[in-house]
Amino acid sequence: MEAQDRFDAIIAADERIEADDWMPDDYRSTLIRQVAQHAHSEIIGMQPEGEWIPRAPSLRRKAILTAKVQDEAGHGLYLYGATETLGVERADLLDLLHSRKQKYSSIFNYPALTWADVGAIGWLVDGAAITNQVPLCRCSYGPYGRAMVRVCKEESFHQRQGFQIMLTLAEGTDEQKAMAQGALDRWWWPSIMMFGPPDTESVHNARNMAWGIKRYTNDELRQNFVDMTIPQAELLGLTMPDPDLRWNEERGHYDYGEPDWEEFMQMVRGEGEMPAQRIRVRKSAHDDGAWVREAAEAYAQKHEAAA
Ligand code: BYC
């Protein structure tokens, strides 16, 4: 059987492509693009919440937030590992991030202004991430799908801790409730834009669906997230910042307003001071960590020589 036929048969049978299987160049390159972008998002995503670790309102909150931010570093690790199985080096991927030749998620180009933003990130951003990532556990590329299983388990703890912060604030003083509402107002639209451009504008949708990399389109996932989140906002007693939001009996889904796609594109392109700051902070963390990489390398060489 020809390599291409074997690949097509595996995809048609909804089985998995593994690292040492033959795969078309385009399949490999779209995966490198997506999984690297995903890995970059995990480590850049440590910044908005990491900035709040020293300012967490109690020791308990500080411990929980530290654990959550460390989890994101771990997700980066699994995902860089998964990308490396496609024949690229992690050091090169980091260079591509630092030189802005590869992207990270638009969502991390927004600032976390108050403690309530930490709650909103956990509730909405991790909530959107789970909605997107649970189907990715069934991705046709084995190493990526398997990495997603553990990531999703941890994301579900993250989502709950965010919701719990929002609930505490929403049940607190008028000022705390206003903080929670402000954070929802800031993070709602960026969260629903995280799912990517509308299906009519999506470049990779059709092919990546056919290859079993994506299982649902951007708009399908966005709708699932909206439907899941509205009852949670009602429970919190908060108001969604979308006047067009209403239940559509006929569709069995919520209708919602049009996001600001121009703002989304600006965030994807990384225009403005916030994206520049994200890359600056990342590069300086990388430079500060050079001695750790050198020490690990020296240690590995010592053991190799001994063996
Ligand atoms: N931001 O054809 P499309 C987390 C780009 S981190 C930036 O629909 P596709 C967390 C897209 O790359 C979780 N760019 O693409 C961490 C493409 O550009 P190019 C992050 C975006 O791949 C810390 C163009 O737009 N999750 O949860 O079929 C703390 C056209 O798009 C975005 C992932 O990375 C965006 N939002 O679908 C807290 C999920 N959206 O390269 C939380 C993995 C689109 O052609 N990725 N673009 O120039 C995916 O599932 C898919 O890649 C996407 C896009 C759904 C995002």
Side-chain angles (χ1 to χ4, degrees):
M1 202 192 243
E2 287 291 316
Q4 176 76 54
D5 292 340
R6 201 163 50 241
F7 173 86
D8 291 343
I10 293 173
I11 297 292
D14 210 5
E15 285 168 6
R16 283 197 147 154
I17 304 293
E18 296 300 337
D20 51 2
D21 287 337
W22 181 90
M23 60 188 88
D25 290 345
D26 290 353
Y27 179 84
R28 188 185 296 278
S29 64
T30 200
L31 273 168
I32 292 173
R33 174 191 62 81
Q34 174 167 330
V35 188
Q37 178 170 321
H38 196 160
H40 299 328
S41 305
E42 299 287 353
I43 61 168
I44 293 283
M46 294 166 72
Q47 291 185 34
E49 290 171 292
E51 289 160 8
W52 278 93
I53 293 175
R55 292 177 283 171
S58 69
L59 185 59
R60 189 170 152 266
R61 293 286 189 203
K62 196 191 286 279
I64 296 170
L65 185 58
T66 306
K68 194 234 188 237
V69 173
Q70 279 176 343
D71 282 353
E72 308 300 356
H75 298 175
L77 197 66
Y78 318 149
L79 287 163
Y80 283 117
T83 323
E84 284 190 305
T85 66
L86 291 156
V88 287
E89 294 290 327
R90 191 185 322 179
D92 295 334
L93 296 173
L94 288 171
D95 284 346
L96 291 168
L97 168 65
H98 298 160
S99 58
R100 294 172 158 219
K101 293 197 180 96
Q102 280 181 344
K103 303 187 184 78
Y104 56 85
S105 179
S106 52
I107 194 77
F108 300 117
N109 283 333
Y110 294 88
L113 300 181
T114 71
W115 171 251
D117 291 49
V118 174
I121 293 173
W123 173 38
L124 299 173
V125 177
D126 287 273
I130 300 171
T131 310
N132 166 274
Q133 287 168 186
V134 167
L136 286 175
C137 295
R138 293 189 292 116
C139 169
S140 60
Y141 186 58
Y144 187 32
R146 287 190 290 275
M148 280 297 107
V149 174
R150 178 152 174 195
V151 169
C152 285
K153 285 186 183 156
E154 291 173 354
E155 297 290 26
S156 107
F157 146 64
H158 298 169
Q159 197 268 355
R160 282 179 176 82
Q161 69 85 36
F163 186 79
Q164 217 271 331
I165 292 174
M166 293 300 276
L167 189 60
T168 306
L169 292 172
E171 288 175 341
T173 62
D174 287 350
E175 204 184 337
Q176 287 171 322
K177 189 163 182 183
M179 260 172 77
Q181 182 64 54
L184 170 58
D185 293 349
R186 277 190 291 283
W187 288 90
W188 174 246
W189 292 104
S191 299
I192 68 169
M193 291 195 279
M194 227 181 127
F195 292 93
D199 290 352
T200 47
E201 305 295 319
S202 169
V203 188
H204 306 287
N205 238 354
R207 210 176 45 175
N208 287 3
M209 295 275 289
W211 273 333
I213 295 173
K214 283 169 104 163
R215 298 290 175 164
Y216 298 97
T217 70
N218 301 356
D219 286 336
E220 285 167 347
L221 292 174
R222 196 174 353 259
Q223 181 74 63
N224 285 350
F225 176 68
V226 171
D227 292 348
M228 177 186 87
T229 310
I230 308 307
Q232 297 171 355
E234 282 167 2
L235 204 138
L236 293 171
L238 299 177
T239 309
M240 283 292 182
D242 178 358
D244 296 326
L245 197 67
R246 60 186 58 84
W247 178 251
N248 183 324
E249 196 63 51
E250 215 170 290
R251 291 198 314 118
H253 291 291
Y254 283 93
D255 289 335
Y256 56 94
E258 194 65 25
D260 182 346
W261 292 115
E262 184 42 43
E263 178 184 301
F264 169 72
M265 284 317 298
Q266 279 168 14
M267 294 304 173
V268 170
R269 289 192 297 266
E271 289 166 9
E273 172 45 29
M274 193 77 252
Q277 182 187 315
R278 295 285 184 238
I279 295 294
R280 224 172 24 243
V281 170
R282 169 92 268 288
K283 274 189 188 155
S284 90
H286 187 71
D287 294 345
D288 289 348
W291 70 271
V292 179
R293 292 189 294 279
E294 283 160 20
E297 184 73 21
Y299 184 77
Q301 274 172 12
K302 190 176 91 178
H303 279 266
E304 217 169 282

